[in-house]
């Protein structure tokens, strides 16, 4: 299988695909300006995309080569939901989902970078190279590859994909930290009520389900020049006189 990340009306892409199919090669064309391919699920050794026309599901990690022609993944790859005004307690919180640097842009970029990195690393032949930065999902995989224990996790797009293990959900990016109308808004890590969530099939924006690890203490570790430097974090309490 060959992947081409491109745009809908790119003639050069179309010409190359014609030749590849002439030589009986299976080609998946993922355009950044249409919504034919949608993210279905990410877990373990699978990044599953569904062709919304044929309903066929492809594991991008099975690709043998990739042509990084254009930016083939956009927000429409993850959701068709249109932007609406977000009103809560008579406060307009639309800046969370609209405008520069909103949470949907951040989540889309982190997911896209993770998918690009995993495909790029897996393919034996790459024409071009995607741009990506370190983020939470990439760091988790790096830790696992280097023998560190990490919680089980997966990226779901429907509540029926939730697994039956005690788990949490958190922002894939850095989350929300904003002050609006003298009110502070933060996105916290939440424990999932699986019994309630799995009663219905509900499409959701790609969200992380991560195994809940009950902690006795917290240790922050830094990996510098091949060595780990760790320290225990203490909870500080106010001194009452």
């Amino acid at each position: 299988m060959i992947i081409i990340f491109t745009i809908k009306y790119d003639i050069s892409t179309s010409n190359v695909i014609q030749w590849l199919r002439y030589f009986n090669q299976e080609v998946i064309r993922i355009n950044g300006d249409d919504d034919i391919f949608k993210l279905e699920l990410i877990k373990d050794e699978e990044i599953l995309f569904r062709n919304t026309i044929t309903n066929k599901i492809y594991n991008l990690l099975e690709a043998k080569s990739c042509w990084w022609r254009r930016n083939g993944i956009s927000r429409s790859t993850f959701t068709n939901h249109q932007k609406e005004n977000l009103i809560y307690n008579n406060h307009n919180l639309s800046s969370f989902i609209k405008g520069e640097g909103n949470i949907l842009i951040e989540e889309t970029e982190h997911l896209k970078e993770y998918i690009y990195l995993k495909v790029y690393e897996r393919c034996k032949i790459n024409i071009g190279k995607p741009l990506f930065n370190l983020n939470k999902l990439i760091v988790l995989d790096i830790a696992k590859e280097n023998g560190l224990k990490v919680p089980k996790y997966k990226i779901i797009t429907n509540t029926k994909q939730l697994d039956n293990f005690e788990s949490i959900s958190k922002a894939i990016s850095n989350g929300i930290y904003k002050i609006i109308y003298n009110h502070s808004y933060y996105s916290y890590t939440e424990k999932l009520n699986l019994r309630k969530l799995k009663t219905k099939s509900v499409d959701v924006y790609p969200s992380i389900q991560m195994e809940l690890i009950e902690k006795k203490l917290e240790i922050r570790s830094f990996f510098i020049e091949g060595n780990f430097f760790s320290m225990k974090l203490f909870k500080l309490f106010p001194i009452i006189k």
Side-chain angles (χ1 to χ4, degrees):
M1 183 174 74
I2 299 169
I3 301 172
I4 301 179
F5 290 107
T6 185
I7 55 177
K8 185 162 45 176
Y9 297 115
D10 185 65
I11 300 300
S12 295
T13 299
S14 300
N15 291 337
V16 169
I17 289 176
Q18 284 184 340
W19 276 107
L20 289 171
R21 288 178 175 162
Y22 174 79
F23 289 106
N24 297 317
Q25 296 297 314
E26 183 180 27
V27 183
I28 297 179
R29 176 177 185 158
I30 300 178
N31 299 319
D33 52 354
D34 65 29
D35 54 2
I36 293 177
F37 278 91
K38 294 287 190 183
L39 175 67
E40 183 76 11
L41 182 69
I42 299 177
K43 66 173 185 177
D44 302 326
E45 292 296 303
E46 295 180 322
I47 296 180
L48 304 181
F49 270 52
R50 178 170 53 86
N51 185 316
T52 58
I53 297 175
T54 65
N55 223 32
K56 184 175 179 179
I57 292 177
Y58 299 87
N59 181 6
L60 299 194
L61 297 186
E62 293 177 353
K64 61 183 180 181
S65 60
C66 182
W67 183 20
W68 305 91
R69 171 69 176 168
R70 295 282 188 270
N71 186 11
I73 291 180
S74 64
R75 188 181 157 210
S76 65
T77 310
F78 304 132
T79 179
N80 283 330
H81 182 70
Q82 299 299 314
K83 294 179 181 178
E84 299 173 358
N85 289 328
L86 179 60
I87 308 296
Y88 179 76
N89 283 348
N90 295 321
H91 291 165
N92 188 341
L93 308 181
S94 300
S95 61
F96 290 159
I97 57 175
K98 292 182 177 181
E100 185 177 351
N102 69 68
I103 186 63
L104 294 181
I105 291 175
E106 293 291 324
E107 295 282 289
T108 296
E109 284 302 305
H110 283 231
L111 274 169
K112 180 180 72 175
E113 289 172 347
Y114 179 73
I115 293 168
Y116 280 176
L117 175 63
K118 301 306 289 184
V119 172
Y120 182 78
E121 289 180 336
R122 189 62 61 94
C123 286
K124 294 181 178 179
I125 301 172
N126 284 284
I127 300 176
K129 183 178 181 180
L131 296 176
F132 40 73
N133 297 303
L134 282 177
N135 64 49
K136 188 178 300 176
L137 298 176
I138 295 172
V139 169
L140 281 169
D141 279 4
I142 292 173
K144 188 163 52 176
E145 290 165 3
N146 285 277
L148 297 179
K149 292 183 178 180
V150 301
K152 293 186 295 185
Y153 64 93
K154 63 190 296 191
I155 306 296
I156 66 164
T157 58
N158 186 282
T159 53
K160 287 294 184 180
Q161 296 171 340
L162 288 164
D163 283 340
N164 289 318
F165 57 83
E166 197 169 20
S167 51
I168 59 172
S169 185
K170 60 197 303 181
I172 294 172
S173 60
N174 292 322
I176 295 172
Y177 301 92
K178 279 194 176 183
I179 297 176
I180 301 177
Y181 304 115
N182 293 322
H183 287 72
S184 298
Y185 295 90
Y186 305 96
S187 52
Y188 290 102
T189 299
E190 296 286 345
K191 185 176 180 180
L192 295 176
N193 184 337
L194 296 177
R195 181 179 298 179
K196 181 178 180 180
L197 289 170
K198 294 186 70 174
T199 55
K200 294 182 179 179
S201 176
V202 179
D203 290 331
V204 295
Y205 190 86
S207 304
I208 189 168
Q209 179 191 11
M210 181 177 286
E211 179 185 11
L212 172 64
I213 305 294
E214 296 286 356
K215 66 180 179 182
K216 295 181 180 179
L217 56 89
E218 186 170 337
I219 296 176
R220 294 290 175 92
S221 295
F222 299 87
F223 188 70
I224 303 172
E225 294 185 351
N227 295 292
F228 279 104
F229 298 88
S230 303
M231 62 182 179
K232 177 180 176 182
L233 296 185
F234 293 91
K235 187 178 289 185
L236 298 178
F237 297 93
I239 298 175
I240 301 176
K241 294 183 179 180

